[in-house]
Amino acid sequence: MIEFTLPSMGADMDEGTLLEWKVKPGDAVKRGQVMAVVDTSKAAVDVECWQEGVVDRLITAPGEKIPVGTAMATLLEPGEAPSAATPVQTEIPQVVATAVGATPRRRVSPAARKHAQEHQVDLDAIVGTGPQGSVTLDDVKQAIAHAATPMPVSAPVDRVAEMRKVIASAMERSKREIPHYYACETIPLGKALAWLAAENEKRSIAERVLPVVLLLKAVAVTLKRFPELNGFYRQGAFAAAPKVHVGVAISLRQGGLIAPALLDTDIKPMTKIMHELMDLTARCRAGSLKSSELSEPTITVTNLGEQGATEVFGVIYPPQVALVGFGRIAERPWAENGGLKVVPAVTASLSADHRVSDGHRGALFLLELSEALQHPEELSR
């Protein structure tokens, strides 16, 4: 028997509300298949199953709020029979009837039936108060009056305010528990942007790549030589991640941030990264993400873009151990070979966990990142 539990989708998630089941008892499910849709403080998330099996029981009901780690359903492993103690649920509830295949006719007075038809009232929704539970004219009139009475409207949930509370809680924990250190490096981008412009000239508009993709790929490739910046600090110990899944900080239109992962960023071509980034951004802002995209980032990159400041120093998102920030790409004076010129440049910053790495390694990471961006053609492979 396998338990399907609500996964943690980040340090800022303690609970979720089940919105919808995508499976039913008896369904065979595969690894990676979406089983449920869960509402978090930031988005409606498709929760995937990571084991094969057959759905045995659905424990959690839609609308129910449950803590992370709570069993939502049980699965039977391939070849496993349902347990007698936990029979497979069915979609049809067990109902005791007077006879198999027969449904007893409700007792309704003629006046009540006529009045219900005139006012389009569902008699099945009315509890009768007459003899043997029969529905009377007064029962129908009371149902009509109740339906006409406006229900009190509860105050709408301020999702932005709730999101800000959740983000604040996670960042407070980060600053309290993680001994941050910071380093930064200004990186000239003349060669990189010229190469990118030439590459984009060869492509259709739909295939063109933005500079942020070049930055993301450079970070992912450089991380392969600095495994202490790519992984998780849990239960007093660091575990390096076997893959590089870059979490991209995306600002939501209604306010707040979310940082889902671009999986295997170091080994994907930039065109694919560009397509996935556009898709991820659109789904973030539409509130439709997968649980793996929120639970698997091994490092986060925040990029302020064209309208941002020239520098940003971020807060590490636990249990990750590093965050890379990029400010606005801007023209700056640059000294080279005894001369002075103006070049496009960006300030890259690193926020890292001193329990796992130190400033020397952090500085070397930024220097190698800068060097990687001087050879953009190698990043395209």
Side-chain angles (χ1 to χ4, degrees):
M1 187 76 68
I2 304 167
E3 284 192 343
F4 172 71
T5 61
L6 178 63
S8 173
M9 290 173 266
D12 53 3
M13 178 182 170
D14 297 318
E15 61 184 13
T17 301
L18 176 63
L19 296 180
E20 178 187 0
W21 281 111
K22 294 291 189 180
V23 296
K24 62 183 183 298
D27 283 355
V29 293
K30 297 180 179 180
R31 180 180 174 85
Q33 180 177 337
V34 174
M35 284 190 59
V37 181
V38 172
D39 185 35
T40 71
S41 61
K42 294 184 177 181
V45 180
D46 291 337
V47 182
E48 300 141 290
C49 176
W50 294 109
Q51 290 176 290
E52 292 190 0
V54 175
V55 179
D56 179 34
R57 294 193 303 142
L58 303 180
I59 300 171
T60 305
E64 188 175 349
K65 183 177 289 186
I66 56 174
V68 167
T70 300
M72 300 173 64
T74 57
L75 306 178
L76 301 172
E77 297 187 62
E80 183 181 4
S83 168
T86 56
V88 175
Q89 292 181 344
T90 63
E91 290 187 297
I92 304 172
Q94 299 297 319
V95 179
V96 177
T98 56
V100 177
T103 302
R105 180 178 176 84
R106 295 203 68 195
R107 294 175 181 270
V108 183
S109 72
R113 188 179 299 278
K114 182 175 184 297
H115 201 62
Q117 290 174 347
E118 290 174 349
H119 291 82
Q120 297 181 334
V121 174
D122 182 7
L123 286 169
D124 290 335
I126 299 176
V127 177
T129 62
Q132 299 181 357
S134 62
V135 178
T136 67
L137 178 60
D138 285 341
D139 294 333
V140 176
K141 289 180 177 179
Q142 287 184 16
I144 294 171
H146 179 74
T149 303
M151 296 295 290
V153 179
S154 58
V157 176
D158 188 340
R159 291 187 67 88
V160 176
E162 288 298 314
M163 185 184 298
R164 296 261 38 120
K165 289 180 183 178
V166 170
I167 293 173
S169 176
M171 296 302 96
E172 180 184 16
R173 172 192 161 191
S174 175
K175 294 296 285 186
R176 182 177 64 248
E177 297 180 0
I178 301 176
H180 286 60
Y181 73 84
Y182 305 93
C184 68
E185 176 73 10
T186 300
I187 301 175
L189 291 179
K191 293 178 182 178
L193 295 181
W195 175 85
L196 188 61
E199 281 293 305
N200 282 336
E201 281 295 320
K202 305 172 188 175
R203 302 168 181 249
S204 66
I205 293 177
E207 296 295 315
R208 290 179 182 175
V209 174
L210 293 175
V212 63
V213 173
L214 196 61
L215 300 178
L216 292 172
K217 183 65 180 289
V219 168
V221 169
T222 306
L223 279 172
K224 299 297 287 184
R225 297 188 290 277
F226 295 84
E228 68 269 40
L229 299 177
N230 185 61
F232 309 100
Y233 192 90
R234 295 188 178 107
Q235 300 178 343
F238 171 70
K243 298 183 178 181
V244 180
H245 303 321
V246 174
V248 183
I250 298 172
S251 61
L252 304 179
R253 291 191 178 94
Q254 68 271 26
L257 289 170
I258 195 165
L262 288 169
L263 304 180
D264 300 311
T265 322
D266 58 317
I267 59 176
K268 287 179 178 175
M270 284 192 285
T271 301
K272 187 170 182 60
I273 295 173
M274 182 68 196
H275 288 166
E276 291 184 358
L277 178 62
M278 297 296 288
D279 174 65
L280 205 58
T281 301
R283 288 191 293 109
C284 270
R285 292 173 176 167
S288 176
L289 290 168
K290 297 178 181 178
S291 57
S292 58
E293 293 168 337
L294 292 174
S295 62
E296 294 193 9
T298 57
I299 188 172
T300 295
V301 172
T302 181
N303 174 57
L304 296 185
E306 296 178 357
Q307 298 180 347
T310 55
E311 296 178 359
V312 57
F313 293 86
V315 180
I316 301 168
Y317 190 72
Q320 298 168 27
V321 296
L323 179 145
V324 176
F326 291 103
R328 182 182 77 251
I329 298 174
E331 289 190 338
R332 303 187 189 184
W334 195 263
E336 186 175 271
N337 299 325
L340 186 65
K341 59 182 180 180
V342 176
V343 301
V346 67
T347 296
S349 67
L350 173 71
S351 307
D353 188 335
H354 230 318
R355 296 171 298 184
V356 180
S357 64
D358 53 39
H360 175 68
R361 288 290 290 172
L364 289 177
F365 167 78
L366 290 175
L367 290 175
E368 291 208 24
L369 175 63
S370 177
E371 183 63 21
L373 286 166
Q374 306 317 304
H375 304 280
E377 68 284 352
E378 296 182 7
L379 297 173
S380 64
R381 297 172 184 170

